Amino acid sequence: MSKKSVSATSDTETRATSEHATDLRLWLRTLACTNLIENHIRSRLRTEFDITLPRFDLMAQLERSPQGLKMGELSKRMMVTGGNVTGITDQLVTEGLVVREDSPKDRRAYIVKLTPEGRRSFRKMAEAHEKWVVDLFGGMDEKQRDQLYELLALLKSSAAQAAGKK
Amino acid sequence: MSKKSVSATSDTETRATSEHATDLRLWLRTLACTNLIENHIRSRLRTEFDITLPRFDLMAQLERSPQGLKMGELSKRMMVTGGNVTGITDQLVTEGLVVREDSPKDRRAYIVKLTPEGRRSFRKMAEAHEKWVVDLFGGMDEKQRDQLYELLALLKSSAAQAAGKK
DNA sequence: TTTTGATACTTTAGATATCGATATTTTCAT
DNA sequence: ATGAAAATATCGATATCTAAAGTATCAAAA
């Protein structure tokens, strides 16, 4: 007894099951791409600049916000917990790449900023980092990259909404 | 090398810079999507099943390979280092969810398998997990998801090639 | 056989990560 | 005002995670 192929005739239950499976495959592929790229970048940051990815990421956030950022802001933007940001910041302070300044508006908070050396150091790494990313995405043409960019915007808002409602 | 459609007024340098910037944005958006989804799944696995994401991932690999997998295979498929797999496996063995069996072919290797309890436990979690993923991708229609799936295939091979050459 | 190199896994050290608890400060409703 | 609730950051415990070094085994050549 052979099963009919899932097509226009599939009932609700069959369709639901099949959608589950395809969504799962889609998610696993998304994850695989990210891990592939992230592992590569992590490895090169280490071998070529002797820095870890989390430290680089934190510095990247600060470079984009020259006025500095509160710990909580960093936590939100890096999508990691506050305790984690505390640890990474501690390391970068030890290395002299960032500083904690007291916030004049809120005595609970710190403002984290790049030091001049941190900024200089980051700029050099960022230049190489951009090249790596260009290479990693180089197998796609401009139209495909644009399409991917738009689809990921959809995914981001879809996931944000679903995650928000919980 | 294929021709790229570029606005007539941009010179080479401008184009290069702008491509760098757009690729970087594309990568950051990819990363943001993955983190968003991953954090949500991690959180729900913890609150609803009291399990960590890495443990769930390892079990998922084993469920797909009922004959069991060697540590090295797990390492490759999960895209993490061997030492990491050792630790996660240790935890799961302690919890009675997986077992290490000696490989009959190679005394250096183990075959890791789900225990009956591990399989039972995983199936229950996987069902919920799939629902979460369906919800997270629910804001995209079928065509968009298909497109995303295909574009990610391109990205995967592009990144794999670039990462391979180094 | 013995050596040699590669492979499979573990162990170690260091740096991230999370979660829950805590201390301090701010905000806000009364 | 003032007390409760919320916000900010840190700390301690535990769990990942990587890179590198170490152990055991395999496979093939000398």
Side-chain angles (χ1 to χ4, degrees), chain A residues 142 145-146, chain B residues 3-16 18-19:
Chain A
E142 193 175 331
R145 287 189 300 240
D146 287 347
Chain B
K3 203 155 73 175
K4 299 202 172 136
S5 74
V6 183
S7 89
T9 57
S10 70
D11 65 353
T12 307
E13 200 171 295
T14 306
R15 185 172 65 247
S18 128
E19 276 178 12

Side-chain angles (χ1 to χ4, degrees), chain A residues 96-116:
Chain A
L97 299 173
V98 310
V99 285
R100 274 185 177 96
E101 293 179 0
D102 292 328
S103 167
K105 316 282 288 182
D106 188 337
R107 285 192 306 181
R108 294 169 302 182
Y110 294 119
I111 308 289
V112 186
K113 287 181 182 173
L114 285 176
T115 62

Side-chain angles (χ1 to χ4, degrees), chain B residues 115-153:
Chain B
T115 62
E117 189 199 334
R119 188 174 307 279
R120 209 179 317 124
S121 166
F122 176 78
R123 292 240 167 99
K124 218 159 68 176
M125 297 186 290
E127 194 184 346
H129 175 265
E130 275 201 1
K131 285 203 187 83
W132 303 338
V133 172
V134 169
D135 283 346
L136 289 162
F137 284 81
M140 306 178 75
D141 65 33
E142 193 176 331
K143 183 175 174 182
Q144 291 164 340
R145 287 189 300 239
D146 286 348
Q147 256 186 343
L148 179 55
Y149 191 72
E150 292 310 320
L151 288 169
L152 288 173

Side-chain angles (χ1 to χ4, degrees), chain A residues 29-55:
Chain A
R29 182 170 284 182
T30 308
L31 195 53
C33 283
T34 301
N35 284 337
L36 189 56
I37 296 170
E38 197 168 302
N39 285 342
H40 179 70
I41 291 176
R42 183 198 317 280
S43 159
R44 293 193 78 166
L45 279 176
R46 175 169 197 83
T47 60
E48 297 182 26
F49 296 105
D50 195 35
I51 196 176
T52 63
L53 182 53
R55 286 178 211 185

Side-chain angles (χ1 to χ4, degrees), chain B residues 52 54-55 81 84 107-108:
Chain B
T52 63
R55 287 178 210 184
T81 59
N84 190 3
R107 283 191 306 179
R108 294 169 300 179

